[in-house]
Amino acid sequence: MATLLLIDTSVSPEGVSASRAVTSAFRKTWEEQHPGGTVIHRDLAVDPLPHLDGVAASAGFSDPATHTPEQQAAFALRTKLAEEIEQADAIVIAAPMYNFTIPSTLKAWLDQAIIMGRTSGENPSAKGTPVVVVASRGGSYAPGTPREGFEYVQNYLESVLAGGFGFEVDFIVPELTMAPVNPAMAELIPLFEASREKAQEEAVTKAKELAKRVAA
């Protein structure tokens, strides 16, 4: 059976969050294609992971036989996250831009899930897994825009997901999401609406493509 790993991170609830609208559309389409499949859903805004500390970090670089009880407990979480990644046939990650970068909850997930010699390193355990990142943002940071240099979401995630985990990474970018609520951006509402519609269409298309690929 096909397994989808879905990581939501928006602090806003469904119905308000731009990224949740897209991940929800992806999930709905995926489940229509794989009604008997499994969805592993981690909502990091509702149930955040602990930030990586010295105990958990040291456990990743030492022989499990030598682990203290504290290291065993900390590394059990990291192992579970690695297993979820390895079980997934596809992964969808919501990465709304907060203060020019990813949510701290997503960074915590990455730090816990990156295990050298397992999920990362010369031969990552989930290498080649397709990943769709929903990189929503209130403005636009596309090439040629005034704030192009402030784009630290796609650049970073491309490096860590493709370069670290060895994933096959694709992005959906709903932008200008603040236009409907910021009077100074009112003239950009048509562009926001077009971006929102495009993101929804891309979510459906990519979900169908990946579902078909998994079934092949």
Side-chain angles (χ1 to χ4, degrees):
M1 293 294 182
T3 298
L4 174 69
L5 174 59
L6 169 59
I7 308 293
D8 273 316
T9 61
S10 174
V11 298
S12 299
E14 193 163 349
V16 177
S17 166
S19 65
R20 287 183 187 275
V22 179
T23 60
S24 179
F26 189 104
R27 176 177 183 169
K28 180 177 182 292
T29 304
W30 174 276
E31 290 181 322
E32 289 172 350
Q33 305 299 310
H34 291 289
T38 299
V39 176
I40 302 171
H41 185 201
R42 279 196 174 270
D43 191 331
L44 300 180
V46 174
D47 189 16
L49 298 170
H51 287 284
L52 188 70
D53 60 15
V55 174
S58 64
F61 292 97
S62 58
D63 184 346
T66 68
H67 285 177
T68 65
E70 291 78 12
Q71 286 178 313
Q72 290 176 1
F75 201 62
L77 170 61
R78 302 188 68 190
T79 299
K80 181 174 178 56
L81 297 176
E83 290 172 346
E84 290 176 353
I85 289 170
E86 292 160 356
Q87 292 166 11
D89 295 292
I91 302 174
V92 178
I93 299 174
M97 180 184 281
Y98 293 159
N99 300 314
F100 308 120
T101 188
I102 64 173
S104 63
T105 52
L106 179 55
K107 183 60 165 63
W109 178 80
L110 289 167
D111 288 341
Q112 295 280 11
I114 295 172
I115 303 175
M116 290 301 297
R118 182 168 180 174
T119 58
S120 185
E122 292 186 7
N123 189 27
S125 56
K127 183 177 181 179
T129 301
V131 175
V132 175
V133 178
V134 182
S136 58
R137 61 275 315 274
S140 179
Y141 301 81
T145 61
R147 289 199 167 186
E148 175 184 356
F150 289 84
E151 211 302 308
Y152 300 110
V153 173
Q154 288 178 260
N155 293 339
Y156 169 68
L157 289 178
E158 177 70 35
S159 296
V160 72
L161 295 175
F165 288 99
F167 293 149
E168 179 185 305
V169 185
D170 201 359
F171 288 91
I172 297 175
V173 186
E175 62 179 9
L176 302 170
T177 62
M178 289 297 293
V181 297
N182 184 348
M185 298 175 66
E187 64 181 16
L188 299 175
I189 289 177
L191 293 178
F192 152 71
E193 292 174 340
S195 177
R196 179 181 59 185
E197 182 177 350
K198 179 182 178 183
Q200 290 286 318
E201 291 173 352
E202 289 181 339
V204 171
T205 298
K206 292 181 189 299
K208 288 181 178 179
E209 289 175 350
L210 291 182
K212 183 178 180 179
R213 172 173 159 180
V214 168

